[in-house]
Amino acid sequence: MAKILRRKKKKSGQLFGERLDALVLRVLWWLLTPLPVDWASATGRRVFGLLGRRSRKNRHVLANLMTAFPEKRRDEIERLAVEVWGNFGAVAIEFAQLRKLTDPARNRGRLEIVPDSRDPAFPVANGPCIFVTAHCGNWELGAHVVQQYVDALDVIYAPQANPHLDRLIQEKRQALGCNFVSKEKGVRALLRALKSGRSVGLVVDTRIDEGPLLPFFGVETPVTTTPAWLALKTGCPIVPVQSQRILDARFRIIFHPALQAVRRHDETPEQAALRVTGDINALVESWIRARPADWMCTKRRWPKESRDARNADVATPESMVEANAAAEEHVAKPRLRPPGAS
């Protein structure tokens, strides 16, 4: 009986925590929605830049940055982590401003599109495409821009563990104009969409534990081969879409040249999928190398063993955190969860 009571108490506490998290986010968005977009974005950047380094998630940010940039000194990594948290905070607050950011009458000059619709080589003129992006800049706005060029767009996303937060986020995402498909419905839903003439969108810089190992910044990590597999199955081009934050709530959305997934005569389907995925990884890596502060890397990107092997000769992110932990042991660390990571 005691065990049953303890189990019920824990469940009740978890439900309360989930509702509280959603309430805090709702209130924060309510307070910041009336602000000018640039002010709100800058506020999120400053607040999360300060709070992020005290979050438990900061160990993942430090670990990811050190694995990606082993040549950087400890102080450089820590400063870069503050910038990463700043971009994360701006994105979190910009959810409250999505209707403004996607309103053509209000967002003039905020979204620079390269190339624009006058480019005759833009691939969507020939049918549905597989759009891939990474958690850089404000990746949510990339979906909005793509939607302006295609007849229909289905974007796969990972629902939040907190259903109350998930509902809030999905309500805000309605302003993007595209359809969202839960990852639980998986690849088959995307395949059906492509065959029916709908384009699809995927975020590809997350760790997929069941995926094959491929190098990312020179360190092997599980990756998704879904875009490559879809392209090989349907013949649809893969169009990489990069989001860059230029200043506060001003962005550049870049459509990179399409990748054609064609199986070579000496390849198995699996080998072809891995080769195409490697090309996508290399492109995303180049984006992050050029603008590391744009990258949201609050979740562990590499297996611990691979990461530790890369960082064997330098101070580990954990040791960097522990160096300051003793002096701050009595301070409770806030929980920061990526509100829109997909």
Side-chain angles (χ1 to χ4, degrees):
M1 179 62 71
K3 289 184 179 180
I4 294 174
L5 290 175
R6 281 199 299 271
R7 199 175 297 128
K8 287 183 178 179
K9 183 177 181 180
K10 181 179 179 181
K11 185 177 181 181
S12 176
Q14 181 182 4
L15 291 173
F16 175 78
E18 289 178 346
R19 291 191 177 97
L20 181 61
D21 286 347
L23 177 62
V24 169
L25 185 61
R26 186 183 290 275
V27 170
L28 184 62
W29 282 349
W30 177 77
L31 290 172
L32 293 175
T33 296
L35 293 180
V37 177
D38 286 320
W39 289 14
S41 180
T43 298
R45 176 169 51 82
R46 294 190 185 98
V47 170
F48 278 76
L50 291 172
L51 295 181
R53 56 189 171 186
R54 298 173 64 86
S55 164
R56 292 183 180 90
K57 290 282 187 180
N58 196 45
R59 71 185 188 276
H60 296 315
V61 174
L62 294 172
N64 289 331
L65 293 174
M66 180 163 288
T67 303
F69 305 102
E71 73 282 0
K72 291 188 180 294
R73 301 189 310 271
R74 166 177 168 169
D75 60 318
E76 292 176 312
I77 292 291
E78 291 178 334
R79 284 198 298 270
L80 185 53
V82 173
E83 294 179 30
V84 167
W85 279 112
N87 183 67
F88 167 85
V91 172
I93 299 307
E94 284 159 3
F95 264 91
Q97 303 277 352
L98 279 180
R99 292 215 172 270
K100 295 180 185 177
L101 286 168
T102 57
D103 183 348
R106 298 183 180 184
N107 68 9
R108 290 176 183 173
R110 292 195 179 279
L111 299 176
E112 176 191 355
I113 302 171
V114 183
D116 64 19
S117 58
R118 291 169 295 181
D119 182 359
F122 194 64
V124 296
N126 300 320
C129 298
I130 301 160
F131 293 93
V132 296
T133 191
H135 290 99
C136 295
N138 189 329
W139 57 95
E140 302 283 346
L141 290 174
H144 165 68
V145 172
V146 168
Q147 178 64 47
Q148 311 310 304
Y149 290 92
V150 299
D151 293 330
L153 177 68
D154 289 351
V155 175
I156 196 164
Y157 82 105
Q160 298 287 311
N162 181 340
H164 305 288
L165 280 180
D166 193 62
R167 280 195 295 272
L168 278 179
I169 291 166
Q170 289 306 109
E171 286 173 8
K172 294 296 183 183
R173 279 178 169 155
Q174 290 178 10
L176 300 175
C178 53
N179 180 50
F180 284 88
V181 178
S182 169
K183 72 173 185 178
E184 296 166 356
K185 297 182 180 178
V187 181
R188 293 184 184 278
L190 299 182
L191 185 58
R192 285 195 300 269
L194 289 169
K195 288 182 175 180
S196 67
R198 300 175 66 88
S199 292
V200 301
L202 305 92
V203 182
V204 296
D205 63 321
T206 53
R207 190 183 81 256
I208 306 296
D209 289 331
E210 64 274 16
L213 293 174
L214 280 180
F216 189 55
F217 285 89
V219 181
E220 286 195 335
T221 188
V223 298
T224 177
T225 58
T226 298
W229 185 86
L230 289 172
L232 289 165
K233 276 279 188 182
T234 64
C236 295
I238 299 172
V239 182
V241 181
Q242 180 184 8
S243 173
Q244 296 179 344
R245 184 179 296 277
I246 304 305
L247 178 66
D248 290 331
R250 297 180 184 275
F251 307 90
R252 180 181 296 120
I253 308 298
I254 303 172
F255 289 89
H256 289 266
L259 304 174
Q260 298 293 339
V262 179
R263 180 181 165 190
R264 296 170 181 167
H265 72 279
D266 59 343
E267 286 182 324
T268 66
E270 291 75 16
Q271 289 171 332
L274 288 174
R275 174 176 53 81
V276 174
T277 301
D279 292 342
I280 296 171
N281 277 359
L283 183 59
V284 170
E285 181 180 324
S286 72
W287 300 350
I288 297 169
R289 284 193 183 279
R291 306 177 68 92
D294 276 2
W295 186 33
M296 191 195 80
C297 53
T298 56
K299 293 184 178 181
R300 184 165 56 86
R301 184 63 187 86
W302 287 271
K304 191 174 185 300
E305 299 76 17
S306 301
R307 184 198 69 197
D308 290 348
R310 159 67 70 91
N311 299 327
D313 297 328
V314 294
T316 65
E318 283 77 4
S319 67
M320 293 165 63
V321 174
E322 288 167 4
N324 300 320
E328 300 180 351
E329 236 177 297
H330 63 287
V331 179
K333 294 188 176 184
R335 294 182 300 165
L336 298 180
R337 302 177 181 175
S342 35

